[in-house]
Every structure is written in structure tokens, then in C-alpha cells.
Amino acid sequence: MSDRMQIDDPVLWPYWEGAQRRALLVQRCQACGHHQHYPRPFCLECDADTLEWVETKGHGTVHSVTTVHVQLLPELKPPYQVALIDLDEGPRLVTGIDGTPCAIGDRVTVTWREREGLPPLPNFTKAAP
Amino acid sequence: MPAPLYITGVAETALGEVPHENELSMVAKATREALAEAGLKRRDIDGLFVNYMGEEGSVQVAEYLGIQPRFSDSSDLGGAAFEAQVHHAIAAIQAGFCEVALIAYASRQRSRRARSLSGGAPAMGVPIMHQLEVPYGLPSPIGRYALIAARHMHQYGTTRAQLAEIAVAARLWAQKNPKAWSRDPLTIEDCLNARPISEPLHRNDICLVTDGGGACIVTTAERARDAAKKPIRILGAAESHTHWHISQMKDLTISAAAKSGPEAFAMAGITPADVDILQPYDSFTITVLLALEDLGFCKKGEGGAFIESGVLRPGGKLPSMTSGGGLSYNHPGALGLMLLIEAVRQLRGEAGERQVPNAKIGVAHGVGGLLSTAGTVILARE
Ligand SMILES: [Zn+2]
């Protein structure tokens, strides 16, 4: 609850509550099965408003990736990678790459980056072959 | 378009580093110059279109200019706002809501050191981006453009050298423009060896950070009769946008120009083959590459091969970024208005050493946000 209060967006609380227990959640439409992220009050595919939060398997494929050479955040020492990942369930999300640098097409698995005073942040790391 | 409309006056503000002005005084001076070209008076302005001029920007600018518009627009489509506002001005004038539209902008982002890559503090609105993107250290906006460039390179085999050709073409034009900020020689090699910022984009793939801005008057054929300079006809205009968060862009290689381009060309009744000069938004080299493909100057995925032979350079078959563009001439945070100004000057035949001979049809194509927005304006000398 204390972390909840630091995030000024009630619609995303379920996402961050999932992160708290290291589960990567996205919305799933009960009418058509479409997964979407970030959350909305209705399904972007079929307009149904019967959406549930479901846990993803945490697997995905790198859709694009950039290596950043400037320091923007104290906790991120360049160079580091930021990627767009296509989750196996469908949604695409921005994430950080931990460990071995990745290339487009690489398979990746979710990992969690601890944060001071905030829920852990989902990152991805190259999947074991 | 039912009744023809014209751009009858354009002016730049002071450019580069502007230490002794503020944004409102810059806009006011450019407006006076544009009005002089248009043969109109300040109080003739009854439609006002601005972006990035602060909270309720058109309200602030109108007060400063001492005018009371009956049509007012501060819509924020980022750097493409000004092309979109030509589109809005057409709608407003055709509907009879105003007759003399002023589109104006100024920024002192260089002098104020206002540019930060971090994405800044959450502004008004719901900060989804600050929860889901900012914590990953994705530079704003360049990191998004980098992801787009990387995907285009992966999907179509586009190379860094092909992107560099865009920066080199811009520089060759800038060397012909005494007002351009960067005029030193630049080679493809220089670009390839430049410092990486957010790969695959390196230092020379990125626009300047300067002060600047301008003013532009859009009006009817009747009001254009008093113009001191040759009025330039607006043949077509259109706008669109695709996403805000980069994760929501449906296809990283297809920009909003794929909608605004065909719509503007259809309104104009011409095709890309008819275009003599192109002013594409060159915030980043990749921005230009996508515009060339999405506007239909070449096929999707073939942008790299299309530009390789130097078509964008002085003497090329598609002279582009003829001022030197945002990469080498001036990039005051939002470039869209500068593109309209340069297109008008080329079509009037007053571009000096960089004049493209016999330029009759020009396109100004604005892009804004995180490669989110597009505004396409097609202009012609009658
Ligand atoms: Zn659905």
C-alpha cells in the first residue's frame, strides 16, 4: 500500500502491485482474448469493457533496441540498452536490457530491477539458448 | 479546395543565439516583417495560430500583439503544428471564421539551455510515460528515433552511411545559406566517426539546438492582392498522428506521413513526381528517410538506396532541406514554421545562392513529438 500511494495513477496500480510480487501483468479482453498494455477501460480490438489483469509468461522477442551513451539517470551508467520487446502474449513495451547486450530478434526473459521506494521495474535479459 | 488561399508573408525571427529578446518580442518583430510582405496591417489579423508560446499561447501572443482574434488555435502537434495549422487555417478561412491568419512561433531554447534528454519532470496530464518509459533511461526524444532507425536498418538493410548522406546534403545546402548555424565541411566519414548518442544515431544524425522562430500569413486571394511580394498558393494540406508512447506506434517504419502525404497530394491534385523542392523535417536523419518513403518519393524500405546517389543535395533531382535544415541551418525546438518559410522563399525565387532554378512546386513536411505527428503542406508559384 505504501508503494501504491507513491504512484499517482490508480489505473496502473494493478500493474505495479504485480511488479511488487515480480509478476508482469497486462490486460486481457475476456470477450476476444486480446492482450493490451498499457491498460485502458476497453479493448482496443473489439471495444468490450470486460478486461482482466493476467500474468504474462515473461517471455518476448526484441523488436528494436538502442544503446545509450549518455547518462540520464544516476542509477544507469552508460552504455546501456533500452529495447522494445514484443511479449509472447502480444503487447509491445519499452524495457531495459540487463546483462549481455541484445540484438533485434533475440529471445528475452523478464528480470526485475530493484528500486528505492518504488516497485521493482521489469527489465529483460537474453534468454538461455 | 473551393477558393484558393495564399501565403502572402513570411519572416524569420533572429536566429542562432538571441540574448537580447524574449520569445514574444521575437514573434512580434517577425510578424511585422511578414505583414509588410503581405501588405496588411496588424489589426487585419483575425485568426491566430501558435504553438509552444506558453500556457494558452495564442492568448498570450494576441495580447502582446495588441489584437483580438476571432479564431484562435494553440494546438500542440509538436514540430508539425505549423503545417497542421496551415491545414486548420484553410478550414477556418473557408468556413468564414477568419480571413487573415497569422501562424507564429519563437523559442530561445539555446539561450535558456532548455533542452534535456531525460524527458523532464511530469507535466500536466496522466504521466503514463513517467511510469513506463522514463525509468529505463530512454533519451527523449532521440531514443525513440533511435529505436525507429534500428528497426528500419534491420528490416530494410538501411545503413548508417545512407543516413549520413542526409546530414551531408543538409550541410552542403547550409554552406549556401549565410544564416545557417553550421557551415563547416562535413563528410560521410565524419558522420560515421562521430560520437554515438543513442545507437544507431550518432552526433551528426541529430539536429541543432538554436534560438529562432518566425511568422507566416495565410489569407484569401482578395486579401493577397495587396501583397508586396509574390503570393504563394496553398495547393493542399493535411495532418495526422500515430502514437505518443513509442510502444504504441503500430509499425516503427511507417510514420503519420503515410496518411498526411497522400491526403495533401490528393487535395493538390499532383503527385510526388511533380515536386521541385522538398522541405522535410530533419530533426534526425531517420525523420527524413521515413518522410521520403511515406510521402511517396520512393517505395517503403527503399529510402536508403534512393538518397545514396545524392538526390537531396544541391543539383540533385529532389533538392531537400535547402536552407540547411534543422541539421545545419537552425532548429529552434520546433522546425515546422522554418520549413514553410524556406519553401515560400524558394518558390518566390528569392533564396539567393541556394535558389533552386525554376522551383514551382514545393512541399513543407512537419514532424513532431516522438515521430508521432505529421503535417504536409503543398505550395505552388502560380
Ligand atoms: Zn476484445
Side-chain angles (χ1 to χ4, degrees):
Chain A
M1 201 59 192
S2 62
D3 286 330
R4 207 184 227 222
M5 299 314 288
Q6 289 179 34
I7 290 170
D8 186 23
D9 183 355
V11 177
L12 261 80
W13 280 344
Y15 177 77
W16 292 118
E17 280 169 353
Q20 202 71 281
R21 53 187 173 84
R22 292 164 183 60
L24 180 61
L25 305 191
V26 298
Q27 274 186 325
R28 181 183 171 275
C29 173
Q30 291 175 333
C32 78
H34 175 68
H35 291 80
Q36 66 185 18
H37 185 63
Y38 53 89
R40 278 102 163 167
F42 54 83
C43 171
L44 287 178
E45 281 300 305
C46 79
D47 284 334
D49 60 1
T50 46
L51 292 149
E52 58 181 346
W53 285 93
V54 296
E55 182 171 353
T56 67
K57 294 204 162 59
H59 300 306
T61 305
V62 177
H63 184 73
S64 193
V65 59
T66 177
T67 304
V68 179
H69 292 265
V70 286
Q71 181 142 16
L72 303 182
L73 303 170
E75 65 272 25
L76 282 174
K77 296 269 176 273
Y80 58 88
Q81 285 191 317
V82 185
L84 280 168
I85 301 296
D86 288 334
L87 292 175
D88 289 353
E89 289 81 2
R92 181 173 296 163
L93 42 85
V94 166
T95 192
I97 297 293
D98 281 349
T100 319
C102 283
I104 293 176
D106 283 352
R107 292 288 294 161
V108 287
T109 307
V110 71
T111 168
W112 296 90
R113 196 180 285 174
E114 299 302 323
R115 294 189 292 178
E116 187 97 17
L118 283 170
L121 189 67
N123 278 252
F124 282 75
T125 190
K126 202 165 183 163
Chain B
M1 200 188 302
L5 298 181
Y6 296 85
I7 294 179
T8 56
V10 293
E12 294 150 300
T13 66
L15 302 174
E17 267 169 358
V18 187
H20 304 302
E21 301 254 5
N22 66 30
E23 287 80 352
L24 289 165
S25 66
M26 289 163 76
V27 155
K29 287 180 176 177
T31 297
R32 277 168 78 90
E33 281 183 44
L35 283 169
E37 287 195 353
L40 294 167
K41 299 262 181 284
R42 189 164 45 95
R43 289 195 176 78
D44 293 325
I45 300 167
D46 59 356
L48 181 58
F49 301 73
V50 308
N51 189 22
Y52 292 132
M53 293 303 294
E55 187 181 351
E56 300 181 32
S58 61
V59 181
Q60 296 197 40
V61 171
E63 176 194 283
Y64 194 89
L65 294 177
I67 60 172
Q68 186 177 356
R70 58 193 184 104
F71 195 93
S72 186
D73 176 349
S74 316
S75 43
D76 184 358
L77 269 78
F82 314 94
E83 282 74 21
Q85 285 171 338
V86 170
H87 191 220
H88 301 179
I90 292 170
I93 295 171
Q94 300 291 11
F97 296 150
C98 64
E99 209 177 353
V100 176
L102 167 66
I103 304 172
Y105 169 75
S107 159
R108 293 175 67 242
Q109 63 159 12
R110 184 177 188 88
S111 296
R112 290 184 190 279
R113 306 191 193 294
R115 217 54 195 188
S116 140
L117 287 172
S118 68
M124 288 169 71
V126 179
I128 293 175
M129 190 175 285
H130 284 80
Q131 297 177 65
L132 299 184
E133 293 190 2
V134 171
Y136 295 104
L138 183 59
S140 188
I142 181 181
R144 281 74 177 184
Y145 288 79
L147 289 168
I148 288 166
R151 185 70 202 177
H152 199 281
M153 291 166 86
H154 173 82
Q155 212 161 307
Y156 297 114
T158 308
T159 65
R160 279 194 56 219
Q162 289 170 336
L163 291 178
E165 168 60 25
I166 294 165
V168 169
R171 183 61 57 86
L172 290 169
W173 283 109
Q175 287 171 340
K176 296 172 176 293
N177 184 355
K179 287 187 175 176
W181 181 264
S182 295
R183 302 181 68 196
D184 294 340
L186 180 72
T187 65
I188 305 269
E189 266 316 280
D190 295 336
C191 297
L192 294 178
N193 295 329
R195 187 163 60 92
I197 307 293
S198 189
E199 288 183 75
L201 300 182
H202 292 231
R203 185 65 202 87
N204 293 106
D205 293 297
I206 306 171
C207 65
L208 305 166
V209 174
T210 62
D211 302 340
C216 172
I217 305 285
V218 175
T219 192
T220 60
E222 196 189 6
R223 303 304 294 265
R225 279 196 209 112
D226 301 326
K229 298 232 174 160
K230 173 88 184 146
I232 296 301
R233 177 142 174 210
I234 302 167
L235 292 183
E239 67 191 73
S240 192
H241 39 85
T242 46
H243 65 282
W244 181 240
H245 300 86
I246 194 64
S247 64
Q248 309 295 304
M249 188 177 187
K250 289 258 181 297
D251 183 332
L252 290 188
T253 67
I254 300 178
S255 73
K259 275 229 191 306
S260 69
E263 192 173 319
F265 279 112
M267 188 193 284
I270 64 158
T271 71
D274 300 318
V275 174
D276 300 312
I277 51 145
L278 175 64
Q279 309 301 337
Y281 201 100
D282 54 339
S283 49
F284 301 94
T285 51
I286 184 66
T287 321
V288 175
L289 195 81
L290 287 196
L292 290 167
E293 296 177 354
D294 293 334
L295 293 175
F297 290 100
C298 61
K299 290 204 185 99
K300 180 50 63 187
E302 294 179 2
F306 177 69
I307 59 173
E308 219 163 22
S309 58
V311 292
L312 309 181
R313 296 183 180 202
K317 74 171 174 143
L318 183 61
S320 300
M321 307 169 287
T322 58
S323 63
L327 290 165
S328 285
Y329 149 71
N330 199 271
H331 197 299
L335 184 67
L337 193 47
M338 318 312 286
L339 304 175
L340 289 164
I341 294 167
E342 175 66 7
V344 165
R345 289 188 173 150
Q346 285 283 350
L347 296 173
R348 285 180 184 158
E350 58 183 30
E353 199 195 328
R354 66 184 189 282
Q355 179 64 47
V356 174
N358 208 23
K360 287 202 177 67
I361 295 184
V363 172
H365 177 69
V367 176
L370 308 162
L371 230 160
S372 316
T373 69
T376 311
V377 175
I378 302 175
L379 300 170
R381 186 180 74 210
E382 283 188 319

